[in-house]
Amino acid sequence: MPALTSGQNRAKPSNGWLKSYYYLRFAVSAAWVLAAFTVTKTVPPLAAVMLVAYPLWDALANYVDAQRSGGLRSNRSQLLNFVVSIVTAIAVAIALGRSMNAVLAVYGVWAALSGVFQLLTAVRRWKTNGAQWAMILSGAQSALAGLFFVKMAGGTDAIGIVNVAPYAAFGAFYFLVSAVWLSVSDILRKSPQAAR
C-alpha cells in the first residue's frame, strides 16, 4: 500500500509539469502565429528571425521536457526531435539566403520528422500520463503538413511566413486541447477522492 501511495505522488508532479508545459507551448505558438500575421508585415526582417527561432524553441522545449522525465538519453524520440530541430534552425538560416521556397522545403522536412517523433513520445506517455490522443493527432498532422510543405515549396506561388503560420496555429491548438484535457482529467480524478 505505501508503494502505491508513493507511485501516485510521483505521477501528480509529472501531470502537473505536463499541463504547465502544454500551456506554455500553446502560449508561445499562439504568440508566434499572431506576430506572423501582424508584426512581420511592418517589420519584414523579423520574419527571418522568427523562422529560425521557431525550431530553436522546439528544441529547447523538448530538451527541458525530457529533463523532467529522465533526460534525453531516456527519451529517444525527444532526443531525435531535439537534434532535428537544431539542425533545422541552422538549415533555415542558410535557406533564407536562397529563397522562401527553400525555407518552406526545410520546414516541410522538419514538420514531417518532428511530427513522427512527437507521435512516438505521445504513445510512450499514454501509459503513464494518459490524455495523449491530441498529441498523437498533432504528430500525425504535422507529418502530413510536412509533406504538403515540400510539395508547395516546389511550386511557383509566392511563399512567406504566413504559409507556415497555420501549421504553428494547429500545433498551438493541440497543445491547448492536451493541457485542458489533462486539467479536466485531474479534476475528475480528484472529485471522487474529495467526496470520500
Side-chain angles (χ1 to χ4, degrees), residues 14-28:
S14 177
N15 260 1
W17 159 250
L18 265 189
K19 283 186 290 185
S20 300
Y21 174 68
Y22 288 157
Y23 278 124
L24 177 62
R25 295 220 50 178
F26 158 72
V28 172

Side-chain angles (χ1 to χ4, degrees), residues 2 28 46 54 61-62 77 97 118 124 126 135 138 171 195:
V28 172
L46 182 61
Y54 195 65
N62 273 285
S77 57
Q118 182 181 344
R124 174 174 52 80
W126 192 298
M135 287 293 95
S138 177

Side-chain angles (χ1 to χ4, degrees), residues 17 60-75 78 125:
W17 159 250
L60 175 63
N62 273 285
Y63 175 79
V64 172
D65 184 34
Q67 292 304 106
R68 288 293 190 131
S69 52
L72 289 172
R73 287 188 179 183
S74 301
N75 299 280
Q78 286 185 295
R125 277 183 162 157

Side-chain angles (χ1 to χ4, degrees), residues 21-22 25 63 69 79 81 100 109-110 159 163 167 171 194:
Y21 174 68
Y22 288 157
R25 295 220 50 178
Y63 175 79
S69 52
L79 169 62
N81 215 340
M100 278 303 299
V109 173
W110 175 54
I159 303 294
N163 294 102
Y167 164 73

Side-chain angles (χ1 to χ4, degrees), residues 42-188:
T42 54
V43 190
L46 182 61
V49 174
M50 288 174 58
L51 286 166
V52 173
Y54 195 65
L56 282 178
W57 157 246
D58 191 74
L60 175 63
N62 273 285
Y63 175 79
V64 172
D65 184 34
Q67 292 304 106
R68 288 293 190 131
S69 52
L72 289 172
R73 287 188 179 183
S74 301
N75 299 280
R76 295 296 175 86
S77 57
Q78 286 185 295
L79 169 62
L80 292 170
N81 215 340
F82 171 77
V83 172
V84 166
S85 294
I86 293 289
V87 171
T88 297
I90 296 168
V92 168
I94 295 170
L96 281 165
R98 299 189 177 188
S99 69
M100 278 303 299
N101 291 69
V103 171
L104 190 64
V106 172
Y107 257 83
V109 173
W110 175 54
L113 290 174
S114 66
V116 171
F117 298 143
Q118 182 181 344
L119 191 154
L120 292 173
T121 300
V123 168
R124 174 174 52 80
R125 277 183 162 157
W126 192 298
K127 294 178 183 178
T128 55
N129 300 95
Q132 293 298 301
W133 60 269
M135 287 293 95
I136 290 174
L137 283 177
S138 177
Q141 185 167 321
S142 178
L144 291 174
L147 299 177
F148 177 72
F149 280 172
V150 171
K151 182 179 179 182
M152 186 189 299
T156 56
D157 293 341
I159 303 294
I161 193 171
V162 293
N163 294 102
V164 178
Y167 164 73
F170 274 110
F173 169 75
Y174 282 120
F175 278 119
L176 178 61
V177 169
S178 295
V180 170
W181 195 272
L182 277 176
S183 298
V184 171
S185 296
D186 282 354
I187 291 169
L188 292 176

